[in-house]
Amino acid sequence: MASLKTQLAKAGINNFFFLLLGTILLAYLFPHWGEARGDLSIDRLTYYGVSLIFFFYGVKISPSTLKLGLSNWKLHLLIQGTTFLVFPLLILLLYGLFGIEGNLFWLGTFYLAALPSTVSSSVVMVSIAGGNLPAAIFNASISSIVGILITPLWMGVFLSAENADFEIFNTVWALVQQIFIPVVIGFMLHKRLYFWVQTYGKLLKNFDQLVILLIVFSAFSHSFGGNMFEGQNILSLGLWMLLFFIFMALGMFLLGRLLSFNRADKITVLFCGSKKSLVQGAVMGKILFPDPTIFGVVLLPLMLYHTLQLILGSALAERLAHQQTSEQV
């Protein structure tokens, strides 16, 4: 039993994964719970929770790691360029060919494409597969910071094309207040609080996950309450997300080979360049999509992609690790 649990955890099927599924089920069964208002409403709690998440994230950023990572500029340029340019441009191209105006799944897919790379899972998988760990940490950190500004700018382009009412300045300013400023303050307090954050890392991780679960519950409860998923082909969306992840992962692998990166750097490019952050997608989405009824539908492509990148990415990391062990024997 313990062995099965370990194998599932390696594939991303951990407690948080089941809690996410349970949260969506709860939102489906009791959608009215997410509509409560007042000082202890979910929206109010998550507002402050988001700022705390990014404050402690800023504390975790090591200045020495950032300095060390600057030397491998070709690797970083490829990963950041893919994350913030190739991903969204690909979806814009597909949207121009097949897009249906007003389709929220298209909007959610573009939102997914415009997001920064994930932090924890990218670093873990690069470590398992034997990749360039300092470069992975650097790219994950930079991606999260850059995304605070780049993601809303991309959303402004897409939503303007959709003739939607989207005020880019107010949105960026809200993100700066709620996310960027807490990151900067946390970074400035790195020396004072880093040991404390490391000591209580598990508790802070549980806090992060609780905030994400509350955001997911609020978004999906409003969407279920508004019957937003009726008539939607979620199975096709899941298949599309599967193909999207495979295409991006394969593309990053081929780019790494084309640029003649060493094995460690190719692994870093593969995992850091093909992933997207559920954490930032959930917290930034609350600001970018203030209507929670719409936000639940927009968030679904990201949640499907996140699940697939955990399962397939973990399996790939294990395979690469086994391959490296076999070559050394």
Side-chain angles (χ1 to χ4, degrees):
M1 187 69 178
S3 177
L4 176 61
K5 186 176 181 180
T6 302
Q7 292 301 316
L8 289 174
K10 286 181 179 180
I13 312 298
N14 51 21
N15 292 335
F16 182 61
F17 175 80
F18 288 111
L19 285 172
L20 272 174
L21 294 181
T23 299
I24 296 172
L25 177 61
L26 199 64
Y28 175 75
L29 295 174
F30 306 101
H32 58 282
W33 287 3
E35 299 174 1
R37 293 290 179 265
D39 292 337
L40 294 178
S41 68
I42 292 178
D43 287 344
R44 180 65 64 86
L45 291 173
T46 54
Y47 178 87
Y48 296 110
V50 166
S51 295
L52 281 173
I53 284 176
F54 280 91
F55 168 76
F56 288 117
Y57 175 73
V59 174
K60 295 175 188 175
I61 298 175
S62 170
S64 59
T65 300
L66 295 181
K67 290 178 182 178
L68 182 65
L70 289 174
S71 59
N72 202 348
W73 62 269
K74 188 190 294 185
L75 174 71
H76 306 320
L77 191 62
L78 174 61
I79 293 174
Q80 299 306 316
T82 302
T83 300
F84 293 113
L85 289 177
V86 175
F87 258 98
L89 286 174
L90 177 61
I91 298 303
L92 278 179
L93 175 63
L94 293 174
Y95 178 78
L97 295 173
F98 307 109
I100 301 173
E101 190 170 336
N103 188 299
L104 292 179
F105 281 164
W106 270 111
L107 177 60
T109 303
F110 184 77
Y111 178 53
L112 148 73
L115 284 168
S117 177
T118 186
V119 177
S120 57
S121 65
S122 291
V123 172
V124 168
M125 290 179 194
V126 167
S127 177
I128 291 172
N132 187 334
L133 193 57
I137 296 172
F138 175 87
N139 275 283
S141 302
I142 291 298
S143 180
S144 296
I145 295 171
V146 172
I148 296 171
L149 299 175
I150 298 297
T151 300
L153 291 176
W154 268 121
M155 295 312 299
V157 170
F158 189 85
L159 291 173
S160 296
E162 284 272 284
N163 296 317
D165 184 17
F166 184 78
E167 297 182 3
I168 185 65
F169 178 79
N170 292 339
T171 301
V172 171
W173 177 236
L175 287 168
V176 167
Q177 287 179 297
Q178 195 174 354
I179 297 177
F180 187 74
I181 291 176
V183 168
V184 171
I185 295 174
F187 181 72
M188 292 172 64
L189 295 174
H190 171 80
K191 289 185 178 179
R192 291 177 177 268
L193 297 179
Y194 182 72
F195 178 77
W196 185 90
V197 166
Q198 289 295 101
T199 303
Y200 295 99
K202 187 174 181 180
L203 182 63
L204 290 173
K205 181 179 179 181
N206 291 336
F207 171 75
D208 292 355
Q209 292 179 348
L210 175 62
V211 173
I212 300 305
L213 290 173
L214 288 174
I215 292 173
V216 169
F217 177 78
S218 174
F220 276 84
S221 62
H222 282 86
S223 295
F224 283 128
N227 297 318
M228 295 294 289
F229 292 107
E230 285 190 3
Q232 301 285 358
N233 194 336
I234 297 177
L235 184 61
S236 294
L237 177 65
L239 179 60
W240 160 234
M241 290 298 106
L242 174 62
L243 294 173
F244 190 28
F245 176 75
I246 292 174
F247 178 82
M248 293 307 303
L250 181 60
M252 296 310 295
F253 174 75
L254 293 175
L255 282 172
R257 291 188 62 177
L258 182 66
L259 294 173
S260 300
F261 287 148
N262 60 41
R263 184 183 186 279
D265 284 351
K266 281 190 286 189
I267 289 172
T268 304
V269 167
L270 169 62
F271 287 109
C272 291
S274 62
K275 291 179 173 295
K276 291 293 181 174
S277 174
L278 175 62
V279 173
Q280 286 204 288
V283 298
M284 292 172 68
K286 279 183 62 64
I287 300 171
L288 291 167
F289 307 100
D291 185 343
T293 304
I294 292 175
F295 182 38
V297 183
V298 170
L299 194 59
L300 187 59
L302 174 61
M303 293 190 67
L304 291 172
Y305 190 92
H306 173 78
T307 302
L308 291 166
Q309 74 183 12
L310 282 178
I311 297 173
L312 299 179
S314 297
L316 185 57
E318 291 289 337
R319 181 176 178 81
L320 288 169
H322 178 72
Q323 184 183 66
Q324 184 182 33
T325 303
S326 299
E327 291 173 354
Q328 292 174 346
V329 173

